[in-house]
Amino acid sequence: MPAASAKTASPSAISKKFASLGLVQDFDFVLHLPLRYEDETALHRIDSLYPGQMAQVEGIVRKAQVIIRGRRQLTATIDDGSGQLALRWLNFYPSQIKAVEEGRLIRVRGEVRGGSFWGFEMVHPKVSRAGAPLSDSLTPVYPATEGLNQPQIRKAVNAALARVRLDDTLPVAVQHKYQLASFAESIQLLHNPPKQADTLALIEKTHPAWERIKFDELLAQQLAMSLARATRESKKAYAIQGGASGLMQRLLDQVGFTLTAAQERVCQEILADMQRPFPMQRLLQGDVGSGKTVVAAIAAAQAIDQGFQVAIMAPTEILAEQHFKKMSAWFEPLGVRSGWLAGSLTPKKKQQAAALVADGTTQLVVGTQALIQQHVTFAKLGLMVVDEQHRFGVGQRLSLARKGEQETVAPHQLSMSATPIPRTLAMTFFADLDVSVIDTLPPGRTPVITKLFADSRRDELLAHVDTVIRQGRQVYWVCPLVEESEALQLQTATDTFNRLQQELPQLRIGLLHGRLPTQEKTAIMSAFHEHALDLLVATTVIEVGVDVPNASLMIIEHAERFGLAQLHQLRGRVGRGQNESLCVLLYQTPLSSVATARLKAMYETQDGFEIARRDLEQRGPGEFLGMRQSGMALLRFADIDLDAPIAEQARETAQWLQATHPEAAAAHLQRWARQRADLLRI
Ligand code: ADP
Ligand code: MG
């Protein structure tokens, strides 16, 4: 290979680099928009500089020398008649020393810093020839990758711009309604901003050109979601009609309470979905303790009654086990065969359980993600219930979706979540799901009283723990969250456990944490359930769904370290029985203002939706939805926090466009198609 080719990358090598940035087709380049801009349109006077400014200055080099100040460095001073500016390089080549020879007129560009002995200085400024023509527009800086420089990218982008037609996909009516700039003008402006363009707005992405692009991106997301919905609705599922042998009624007699109006309503919504011949995809939201389990059981009864299998999946074994106990207690007496499938089973038992699922013997199977593993097949799966679905990782949710896709007839899917998503947010970002909400708690609950205790009142608290336990009730003691390290978290929990054993020797105390082998976890949970333990020291493993009605006191240590949603989930573990319950938030002073706001919210309200609203207010939707974690929509230009109003407009537009201009909707989606996978929730 000739030596020269190592320097100039071959066209195919460059294409590969571009491809690694996702740039293949012309339109990919068109939508490869600048990350930021540099302003090289003007020269600045030294006496007008301010710290932090990206500035460009021309002046005569007054002094240049290589000095050792800690390390070897090149320093110079330039003078433009209005003042002097210090320059400094920590790494430099001989050619750079030459470029700043005394007496030369040079142009430098860099960030202005304050505070040097000389006044302002620039560290590692870019030096160029003085008097060269100034650029007449802001210089875009593109997302790049190793081996591709800015001029190469700029050239490729402009070449693509010259080849494509930037037709507008939006009808004039839409552009008008939201006062949107045209697509072509926006794109041109963002790639080659004219001299007079509002620099700040361009940099801050508030320029109308950016607003248009963000609108388009969010619109594409909305369209992709409704396409996903349409695709799902074009798939086949078993239409599961109402009860043949009255299993559902017998179940209702069995559970021993009457459904609340809210439970009735969501049951109707779910049952109606299941009667349709395409797969249900419904999210059931309801606060902790609102009674989602029985709703899932009713849906299950309907499916089982028609000869279908039902799978119930939970994110942890503790929770799955609890569901299994509850479900089998309800269903076994009615003659329904239930099964248990989880990772902790021995391979042999797992195989046996899976075989019974495969041949249809097991009608109702409860378990963890072991249920969706490759080797598990169902004879006739009609309904899949996923509890606390947001707890499942992206990978698991994907494999669940794929499992459904592989079947010629997909099962109906009911997801349940106790993290209420405020309505506006749900409408915007969960548009491909149907949502049912249980908005009232079952009757007869005594509200949980919440108290805030500074850590210094611990002794007082211990006396109260003792009293509560003497009254025959049980107590949770939740240990602080240690985000940095699971090992440290375990250590704190163990310390607390040891300390409480010494302080309250008369009590039966258990310790539950995530690192315990599953069997032990389940054993401890069962012991607590059966009241063989009085007090359970636990990490946040109990956050999800644990149901022990006799527990009426919860103490959360270092409550200031928990998030609002998490505190609410934890508190939901008490107040499940007839007894008056208390939740004590122990905190350590001093409290940050954010922590104060959180604890105050916990003190002031128990309404899950109100808490969610405040949480959203405090953290913004991005954090709230745990975007990165949930794999939700990776938007490139729009910001889910800042651009919520645009998202709302995009949502309205998507509906209108599909109804009135389906061809424009299709064209728009097509344009943004490369991103479609990113635009979809999974
Ligand atoms: P979650 O929605 O948090 O999963 P659960 O389904 O565990 O709540 O229900 C919480 C408790 O409320 C359970 O003990 C359940 O048996 C009880 N429950 C549910 N619905 C009703 C009802 N309509 N009337 C009385 N108790 C109910
Ligand atoms: Mg639950």
Side-chain angles (χ1 to χ4, degrees), residues 160-177:
L161 280 175
R163 282 191 297 264
V164 297
R165 287 184 43 177
L166 302 174
D167 295 338
D168 219 297
T169 47
L170 295 187
V172 181
V174 174
Q175 297 184 47
H176 224 80
K177 179 167 182 194

Side-chain angles (χ1 to χ4, degrees), residues 257-260 263 286-294 326 330 387 418 442-443 445 545 547 549 573 576:
F257 50 71
T258 331
L259 295 187
T260 62
Q263 283 170 320
D287 208 349
V288 254
S290 62
K292 295 184 289 295
T293 318
V294 70
K326 198 166 235 173
W330 281 339
D387 196 14
R445 297 273 166 86
D547 188 23
R573 303 301 119 220
R576 299 190 150 230

Side-chain angles (χ1 to χ4, degrees), residues 421-443:
I421 299 163
R423 205 177 122 77
T424 48
L425 212 56
M427 280 185 358
T428 310
F429 294 103
F430 292 80
D432 53 338
L433 296 180
D434 293 302
V435 180
S436 288
V437 180
I438 306 182
D439 50 9
T440 50
L441 294 180

